[in-house]
Amino acid sequence: MVKAYLRYEAQATFGVIASSTANIVYDPTGKIAIAPALEEVILWDLKKGVEVGKWREFGNKSEVTCIAPSPNKKDYAVGYGDGTIRIWNIKSSTSIVTLSGHRAAVTALAFDHDGTRLASGSKDTDLIIWDVISESGLYRLKGHKDQITCLAFLNTKDIKEHDVGVSSDGYVLSSSKDTLIKLWDLSAQYCRETLVGHRSEVWSFAVSKDQKVIISGGAEAQLKAWKIDWKILGLSLEALGDQDKSDDNMQVDVTTPATLQRAINSYGQIPRQSRDRLITIKFHPSGKYLGAQASDKSVEIYKVRDHEQIRKKIQRRKKRAREKGKDESEISDEIEAEDEFTTECLVRTPAKVRSFDFAPNVDVEKAGQIQIVTSLNNNTIEAYTIPISAEKKTEESQEPSRLYSIDGPGHRSDIRTLALSSDDELLASASSNLLKIWNMKTRSCIRSIECGFALCSAFLPGNKHIIVGTKTGELELYDLGSSSLVESVKAHDGAIYSLQVRPDKRGFCTGSADKDVKFWDFDMVQDKGSVAKRLTFIHMRTLKMSDEVLCVRYSPDQNLLAVSLLDSTVKVFYHDTLKFFLSLYGHKLPVLSMDISSDNMLIATCSADKNVKLWGLDFGDCHKSLFAHQESVMSVQFVWGTHYFFTVSKDKTVKYWDGDKFENIMKLEGHHGEVWALAVSKHGSFVVTGSHDRSLRIWEKTEEQLFLEEEREKELEDLYENTLVSQLEKTGVDDGEVDSAGKQTMETLKAGERLIEAMDIGDEEKNGWLAYENAKSRGLPGQPPQRHPILMAMGDIEPDRYVLDVLKKIKANDIEEALMILPFSKVMSLFSYIESWAKKNWSIILVSRVLFSVVKTHHNQIVANRMMRPMLDSIRFHLRTQLQRQKDVMGYNRAALTYLQRDWKARNTSDFLDENTASKPSDDEKKRKFVQLAS
């Protein structure tokens, strides 16, 4: 009989406040911070310090790499490590659109001014423009040679100058690690200009509110400023060439290369205090301040001076020059970037800043302060207020102050050890300086206690105390009730790598780098000046070893003690006499952890050599050596009452094994960093893992059965699907600047297959009826064909309608890629369906899009095929008729809406004006009214 196991599923992730893979943004109210948390996005209420929402897509394991707010103040574009972009709605906390076109992690996102288009840049060096309304990619722009780091739309509608240009679709600016900033014309879809002023990678840039200045930065010690000349940007390339000719119509130097006038020119440099590479530059929503943040512990705020203040500054400079007796004419009247942008203040943070965002408060003068939120590298969010400096020197300018800090629900560094209480109600997690106690039901942190650099920990009997072994050799005893350190004992001269409470619950043993295994007993002592007794521990005996001790484990019947040493061996001793019993030799590198099964029969050892070995404890023979992980195996633990066990590794995975059949039952993926610690509940109902990514994950046992053969088949299928998709990807096909935005995924392949199946059913049905009609017309006896069961089940529908329904179910973003899969024979069949849909006026917009895509792909074959001409003529005639009808309807509706708008304005504006004039009467009217009232 085939053995069935129960599946473990990821139940919850907690302990992450803000991960360092993406940027943090404010919500429109300025009260909530939207922060990346590995594969989720968490909404934090800054004032209360609590989580108010979570955005998580079921099945997604890729971490968030970029977040961008939409101008509609409801939607947020979130980019992921696998190249997908999801648009989340903040009100409903649901993902409304998924866009997949990138082949690597999304690194930059930007909406245009009205939120209808989205630009995305990626590690695959491509820039894709998406239509958010139709949920599809418009085109892909190629030109950068390295990861795109920042994007911004230039909005031509906001420019007040008359001649803003030929690009009705606007422009996009993109910066990259290839040291270039490019300006893309979206109407003609080409790179208009390339800025080459930087000597190192460009990491970020920002465009001023009036869209006249660009500030960019990278690894250099200064920020670079650029001026946008919209008059030149407004000219077409031909006009630019003509202008150059008219300027130089006197004498043309043949040796100089032809150059066009540049629309973006260097404006100067702005010094910055930090010497580290820049990460983020942002303008304040008011446009009066600029923030720049490097990979150190500070955020620099610059003030943007207006022209009046700059003029005064130049006058003062000249005055000083006169006083010093220098020539006044030496001082230039030209405004430089350094004059316009001056350092306002420096916000210092306790740890390195990952990203920051300005609060969405435009009226800075009224508020009297600027507010920023920062996400730090140590899993913390902090909000700061920066008072605006007074113009007069007499008033003292205040320092920036910390407003809020969210650091409670997570660790500052890697989680090195986990321990579950005996009733599985509480979880203790410890890192380099913090011990946290979590309630397993609510997953909330109920205690935070400062501790040493923890390497191992355990709950003591009664679950009211926790003992922690540290890197410095101290044993620290904590009381949970009072959240206090009860006792700290210098137990060893080296790091305490392992401790375990004895099965009889009367003591515990510790193993250390000082080559000692020490045995301790619990005791009650009475402190001076206190009546009550408290728990303590007394050193009873020591077992000296030949090398550093990495792990100690008791057998559940307390008969044996296993000790793993740095020399890659495991020594087994009798507990009572400490006499040597067995030596387990076989690992190539030290054994980092081990566990003994509840029936005292098996011992599992896991090592830095990536192997797990299972040994019998009767003779010390190795039952099996399993190549378990791709990296060092950090911890192993049996499920009580079984020979199943879990292992965790530096390769970011958790694995579930059968110790009798020596089979891998399940691989649990989800962590984004090395998994250091593991805790299995008493009877295996759940497993908790702690990682370098500072997350704690709970994997819960479900009722769903799992069979090994099915799992292996599924793994092979996944492997095949991945290779299939990678083979279909177009790599190095054309070297043009523009390409289609989509990419082949498993979804597009399946969508194409579904469409082929639907057309097969439809064709079979159509051909059957055609043969029947022909036979009937000839007077031959014929049987009407039997309807296809699927068409009957769908409500006895026509084949045309069925194929259209299948086509409608394909996501808008996947249609083009799904149609690429169709062989030419099926394309011919699709044309016959398109003809009948055009005649019947069904989903004309979708039909037009499908037709355009198919013709573009198979143009040469269609042109060469004369048989298709009548069909194409018919499609053209009917489609144009239907599109004209649609155009007429839309024109009529637009005219009607314009009339309604005019009518509404005519009625309401007069009321408003009457009210306005009544509320602001002239002085004479005031007097007259006053007289009337008095009478």
Side-chain angles (χ1 to χ4, degrees):
M1 189 180 158
V2 180
K3 188 163 186 184
Y5 302 89
L6 292 177
R7 189 182 290 280
Y8 280 81
E9 293 280 356
Q11 188 206 6
T13 307
F14 56 100
V16 182
I17 299 165
S19 56
S20 58
T21 50
N23 57 310
I24 190 169
V25 292
Y26 264 111
D27 82 322
T29 62
K31 293 175 183 172
I32 290 167
I34 297 163
L38 303 176
E39 72 273 16
E40 305 170 333
V41 176
I42 297 180
L43 279 61
W44 294 99
D45 186 315
L46 288 168
K47 199 172 183 181
K48 295 175 184 168
V50 295
E51 182 188 308
V52 289
K54 189 180 272 191
W55 299 344
R56 178 164 190 180
E57 186 76 16
F58 180 75
N60 169 50
K61 286 174 185 165
S62 300
E63 51 193 332
V64 174
T65 52
C66 190
I67 304 174
S70 168
N72 67 11
K73 299 184 177 179
K74 290 186 297 215
D75 296 333
Y76 288 82
V78 179
Y80 292 84
D82 60 356
T84 57
I85 301 161
R86 292 184 178 85
I87 297 177
W88 293 86
N89 187 298
I90 194 166
K91 294 208 164 57
S92 62
S93 283
T94 54
S95 168
I96 45 176
V97 182
T98 302
L99 307 167
S100 54
H102 288 293
R103 294 170 180 85
V106 178
T107 51
L109 290 168
F111 280 96
D112 69 348
H113 69 287
D114 53 7
T116 55
R117 285 177 302 170
L118 173 70
S120 67
S122 161
K123 277 186 180 171
D124 64 10
T125 75
D126 292 349
L127 187 159
I128 299 180
I129 307 294
W130 305 89
D131 184 338
V132 178
I133 307 300
S134 71
E135 302 177 12
S136 61
L138 297 173
Y139 43 85
R140 181 190 300 266
L141 298 170
K142 299 172 172 182
H144 283 293
K145 296 285 178 281
D146 207 336
Q147 171 187 326
I148 291 173
T149 52
C150 191
L151 292 169
F153 275 90
L154 290 182
N155 175 21
T156 51
K157 288 175 186 163
D158 290 353
I159 302 300
K160 300 292 185 287
E161 291 166 29
H162 303 296
D163 203 15
V164 295
V166 289
S167 177
S168 56
D169 286 356
Y171 300 90
V172 160
L173 275 165
S174 66
S175 68
S176 165
K177 282 167 74 174
D178 62 8
T179 75
L180 304 176
I181 298 174
K182 285 181 181 281
L183 175 70
W184 303 86
D185 184 325
L186 296 184
S187 291
Q189 297 166 20
Y190 75 103
C191 176
R192 168 82 187 241
E193 275 187 28
T194 302
L195 311 184
V196 291
H198 285 275
R199 290 284 164 271
S200 63
E201 299 169 344
V202 185
W203 281 97
S204 185
F205 68 85
V207 183
S208 62
K209 201 178 179 186
D210 60 1
Q211 303 206 42
K212 299 265 178 79
V213 180
I214 303 166
I215 309 290
S216 62
E220 293 115 331
Q222 295 91 17
L223 300 174
K224 278 192 164 40
W226 311 81
K227 260 259 190 313
I228 305 174
D229 190 334
W230 280 94
K231 280 206 174 81
I232 293 173
L233 199 56
L235 298 170
S236 65
L237 293 178
E238 292 81 9
L240 274 176
D242 295 344
Q243 195 180 28
D244 282 354
K245 281 174 197 165
S246 62
D247 289 351
D248 308 330
N249 56 5
M250 279 134 30
Q251 187 67 37
V252 180
D253 186 0
V254 186
T255 56
T256 57
T259 55
L260 294 173
Q261 225 175 332
R262 301 187 72 82
I264 301 174
N265 298 297
S266 182
Y267 181 39
Q269 295 187 332
I270 305 161
R272 60 189 184 98
Q273 293 183 23
S274 171
R275 290 285 163 268
D276 290 304
R277 81 162 174 86
L278 195 99
I279 295 178
T280 321
I281 303 177
K282 270 187 184 170
F283 272 96
H284 189 269
S286 66
K288 293 173 184 173
Y289 292 89
L290 172 78
Q293 163 252 322
S295 60
D296 62 357
K297 301 179 180 181
S298 64
V299 179
E300 276 180 73
I301 306 294
Y302 296 87
K303 188 171 186 178
V304 183
R305 288 204 177 107
D306 56 28
H307 281 271
E308 187 63 32
Q309 290 169 324
I310 298 167
R311 204 172 50 76
K312 281 180 185 171
K313 190 180 180 187
I314 292 170
Q315 293 296 335
R316 278 201 302 275
R317 212 179 280 160
K318 285 185 176 178
K319 190 180 171 188
R320 277 201 299 276
R322 275 201 305 274
E323 284 167 3
K324 289 177 181 176
K326 290 179 184 173
D327 188 8
E328 209 178 301
S329 60
E330 282 179 19
I331 291 160
S332 141
D333 281 336
E334 271 189 39
I335 296 169
E336 292 177 1
E338 214 170 316
D339 301 328
E340 194 174 338
F341 299 91
T342 56
T343 304
E344 172 81 359
C345 69
L346 193 69
V347 181
R348 298 198 181 278
T349 57
K352 282 189 177 180
V353 185
R354 167 57 186 86
S355 67
F356 80 97
D357 193 21
F358 284 108
N361 183 8
V362 180
D363 197 349
V364 183
E365 278 75 21
K366 189 181 175 187
Q369 62 186 25
I370 305 167
Q371 192 175 317
I372 64 165
V373 67
T374 59
S375 68
L376 308 184
N377 270 354
N378 67 349
N379 197 21
T380 315
I381 293 172
E382 294 198 334
Y384 292 86
T385 52
I386 302 142
I388 295 167
S389 61
E391 284 299 314
K392 291 171 187 169
K393 297 284 178 192
T394 49
E395 288 182 48
E396 236 179 76
S397 61
Q398 295 167 296
E399 284 293 304
S401 58
R402 190 190 303 170
L403 189 63
Y404 309 117
S405 178
I406 303 174
D407 58 2
H411 282 278
R412 304 286 76 75
S413 56
D414 296 15
I415 297 159
R416 299 309 293 253
T417 170
L418 292 173
L420 278 164
S421 61
S422 58
D423 55 5
D424 295 334
E425 293 283 317
L426 299 175
L427 172 74
S429 63
S431 59
S432 61
N433 58 357
L434 209 56
L435 170 68
K436 285 187 177 285
I437 312 300
W438 307 82
N439 182 330
M440 284 305 292
K441 279 201 174 73
T442 61
R443 294 184 283 284
S444 56
C445 179
I446 52 176
R447 293 277 187 277
S448 273
I449 311 164
E450 284 191 12
C451 67
F453 196 121
L455 293 177
C456 52
S457 61
F459 274 91
L460 298 191
N463 299 328
K464 290 182 180 171
H465 296 82
I466 284 178
I467 193 155
V468 173
T470 68
K471 201 175 184 178
T472 51
E474 266 96 12
L475 276 174
E476 297 175 348
L477 181 66
Y478 293 94
D479 179 17
L480 294 188
S482 60
S483 298
S484 61
L485 175 66
V486 177
E487 192 173 3
S488 179
V489 175
K490 178 72 177 165
H492 289 271
D493 295 330
I496 301 173
Y497 287 123
S498 180
L499 68 85
Q500 193 189 16
V501 176
R502 272 206 323 253
D504 67 2
K505 307 279 191 283
R506 292 186 177 180
F508 63 95
C509 71
T510 55
S512 163
D514 64 2
K515 306 182 183 179
D516 286 352
V517 177
K518 291 191 177 178
F519 297 86
W520 310 77
D521 275 4
F522 297 126
D523 199 5
M524 301 297 283
V525 293
Q526 193 168 337
D527 288 332
K528 285 177 186 174
S530 78
V531 184
K533 285 187 174 183
R534 67 167 180 81
L535 186 70
T536 185
F537 46 89
I538 304 158
H539 178 221
M540 300 304 286
R541 53 185 178 162
T542 304
L543 174 63
K544 292 212 174 281
M545 303 303 294
S546 59
D547 215 331
E548 291 186 19
V549 179
L550 297 181
C551 185
V552 288
R553 281 290 175 271
Y554 280 110
S555 63
D557 62 1
Q558 209 174 306
N559 185 29
L560 302 171
L561 175 77
V563 180
S564 104
L565 304 177
L566 197 64
D567 64 5
S568 310
T569 62
V570 175
K571 304 277 194 287
V572 184
F573 299 88
Y574 289 105
H575 170 250
D576 47 3
T577 60
L578 295 186
K579 275 189 179 171
F580 177 73
F581 171 46
L582 292 170
S583 177
L584 310 178
Y585 177 83
H587 281 289
K588 294 181 182 70
L589 289 169
V591 173
L592 302 175
S593 175
M594 52 191 176
D595 198 24
I596 298 171
S597 62
S598 53
D599 60 0
N600 311 292
M601 295 298 287
L602 286 179
I603 178 168
T605 58
C606 67
S607 161
D609 64 10
K610 309 174 190 176
N611 288 308
V612 171
K613 288 184 190 287
L614 290 159
W615 317 75
L617 268 179
D618 37 10
F619 305 111
D621 55 324
C622 179
H623 288 189
K624 189 75 175 173
S625 180
L626 302 162
F627 180 70
H629 290 269
Q630 301 301 317
E631 291 286 340
S632 303
V633 189
M634 300 309 296
S635 185
V636 61
Q637 200 172 334
F638 277 102
V639 176
W640 186 266
T642 69
H643 283 179
Y644 304 152
F645 61 93
F646 284 90
T647 57
V648 296
S649 163
K650 279 187 178 178
D651 68 2
K652 309 175 187 178
T653 59
V654 183
K655 287 189 177 179
Y656 182 34
W657 304 83
D658 184 340
D660 291 327
K661 289 192 166 183
F662 317 122
E663 288 270 15
N664 177 19
I665 303 166
M666 270 195 86
K667 183 177 174 184
L668 303 169
E669 291 173 308
H671 278 291
H672 298 280
E674 297 94 334
V675 189
W676 296 114
L678 164 75
V680 181
S681 66
K682 185 70 177 170
H683 296 290
S685 56
F686 64 86
V687 180
V688 189
T689 51
S691 164
H692 166 72
D693 61 20
R694 284 144 195 174
S695 70
L696 290 158
R697 287 173 194 264
I698 302 174
W699 313 86
E700 196 178 34
K701 192 195 276 185
T702 60
E703 292 303 310
E704 188 189 339
Q705 286 195 332
L706 174 152
F707 300 97
L708 294 180
E709 289 78 10
E710 283 180 14
E711 286 300 297
R712 296 297 94 85
E713 277 173 26
K714 212 179 281 177
E715 281 170 23
L716 287 169
E717 267 176 35
D718 291 344
L719 194 68
Y720 169 68
E721 285 176 2
N722 290 338
T723 51
L724 190 66
V725 170
S726 60
Q727 282 166 7
L728 281 164
E729 274 186 12
K730 310 180 284 286
T731 48
V733 177
D734 63 354
D735 299 321
E737 257 188 358
V738 186
D739 198 359
S740 62
K743 74 162 182 179
Q744 283 288 6
T745 62
M746 217 51 229
E747 281 74 38
T748 59
L749 278 173
K750 285 175 180 169
E753 284 170 5
R754 281 199 302 273
L755 187 59
I756 291 170
E757 281 171 20
M759 285 197 288
D760 283 341
I761 291 168
D763 290 348
E764 190 188 316
E765 187 82 4
K766 272 184 171 180
N767 294 338
W769 280 101
L770 204 64
Y772 172 64
E773 294 293 336
N774 284 343
K776 218 165 115 182
S777 62
R778 287 186 202 153
L780 298 169
Q783 194 78 28
Q786 206 172 353
R787 293 301 310 271
H788 197 281
I790 290 180
L791 299 178
M792 294 292 284
M794 301 292 280
D796 199 10
I797 57 174
E798 298 169 46
D800 295 355
R801 172 59 73 185
Y802 174 62
V803 176
L804 185 62
D805 286 348
V806 170
L807 192 63
K808 278 182 182 172
K809 282 175 188 163
I810 301 171
K811 283 183 188 169
N813 188 36
D814 295 346
I815 282 182
E816 282 193 29
E817 296 298 324
L819 292 170
M820 294 278 275
I821 296 159
L822 304 186
F824 190 65
S825 59
K826 283 282 167 261
V827 171
M828 302 270 285
S829 173
L830 185 62
F831 269 108
S832 67
Y833 286 105
I834 288 172
E835 185 186 10
S836 81
W837 295 332
K839 281 179 185 169
K840 294 172 181 173
N841 193 15
W842 286 352
S843 305
I844 290 299
I845 295 165
L846 177 66
V847 169
S848 306
R849 199 175 154 208
V850 169
L851 178 68
F852 178 65
S853 178
V854 171
V855 168
K856 196 167 70 172
T857 310
H858 301 279
H859 181 260
N860 293 347
Q861 285 153 297
I862 292 167
V863 170
N865 192 335
R866 285 185 181 176
M867 303 286 288
M868 290 185 72
R869 182 151 189 186
M871 192 192 288
L872 288 170
D873 275 338
S874 166
I875 290 172
R876 183 176 63 176
F877 172 73
H878 289 294
L879 209 54
R880 282 190 177 175
T881 312
Q882 303 299 357
L883 285 169
Q884 188 58 48
R885 190 183 296 170
Q886 288 228 342
K887 198 175 170 187
D888 294 344
V889 169
M890 284 167 84
Y892 180 83
N893 288 345
R894 194 173 170 199
L897 287 166
T898 312
Y899 168 73
L900 287 169
Q901 185 186 23
R902 234 183 7 248
D903 185 46
W904 185 86
K905 273 185 182 170
R907 285 187 197 167
N908 291 279
T909 311
S910 57
D911 294 354
F912 177 68
L913 287 171
D914 289 347
E915 193 180 307
N916 201 14
T917 49
S919 63
K920 292 184 179 177
S922 65
D923 292 342
D924 297 341
E925 282 177 330
K926 274 184 191 172
K927 284 173 190 170
R928 211 171 292 133
K929 280 183 181 176
F930 184 71
V931 171
Q932 284 172 355
L933 282 166
S935 64

